[in-house]
Amino acid sequence: MAETEPYDSALDSVPGAHPYPRTSRYHDAEIGMHRRPDGSEVRYVKRRLLPPLDEETEPHTVGAGERPDLLGQRFLGDPGQWWRIADANPVLDPRELTDEPGRVIGIPLAGGFPRGERRV
């Protein structure tokens, strides 16, 4: 029986292929390779640095019961995109975004559309 190549090896032959989907916060992260003493290689994601806080955002006042995933769904159309909101605000823990009702946070503009052209 022929040996099957691991999934990671298949990606290596496709130019520009990346193991994370475009919607992932790790999509643009650099993939590193560590060679063990026995010669085997281990792929890993290099450290992802936060982007500068200069992205245009729209202010949002946090209401009671809101969560980062709910904000991702409401404003960006995908609960998995909560990380974009976290990146646009100076917080260490994404729960800090919504743990205090009345706090004003910045919501990045969906798809890069200018303010006023987005439907919520």
Side-chain angles (χ1 to χ4, degrees):
M1 183 172 169
E3 187 174 319
T4 305
E5 282 191 46
Y7 179 72
D8 288 343
S9 295
L11 287 175
D12 292 339
S13 63
V14 179
H18 200 281
Y20 294 97
R22 290 192 187 283
T23 57
S24 170
R25 66 178 141 172
Y26 298 109
H27 176 73
D28 293 327
E30 187 177 347
I31 304 297
M33 186 71 71
H34 171 71
R35 187 176 303 276
R36 294 179 175 165
D38 68 359
S40 62
E41 295 178 339
V42 178
R43 296 178 88 184
Y44 65 95
V45 177
K46 291 189 176 183
R47 181 180 298 184
R48 176 183 172 270
L49 300 176
L50 290 177
L53 293 175
D54 60 1
E55 182 177 0
E56 188 175 355
T57 62
E58 188 172 293
H60 171 71
T61 303
V62 174
E66 287 190 311
R67 299 188 322 243
D69 61 323
L70 297 176
L71 294 175
Q73 177 64 45
R74 178 175 170 195
F75 291 104
L76 303 173
D78 180 356
Q81 295 300 298
W82 62 266
W83 62 269
R84 292 187 187 276
I85 299 169
D87 280 2
N89 292 273
V91 296
L92 294 176
D93 182 339
R95 292 175 291 196
E96 292 177 46
L97 291 169
T98 57
D99 65 357
E100 185 181 320
R103 177 182 180 163
V104 177
I105 61 172
I107 304 291
L109 299 178
F113 294 111
R115 190 181 315 273
E117 293 183 28
R118 176 171 71 162
R119 288 185 166 167
V120 182

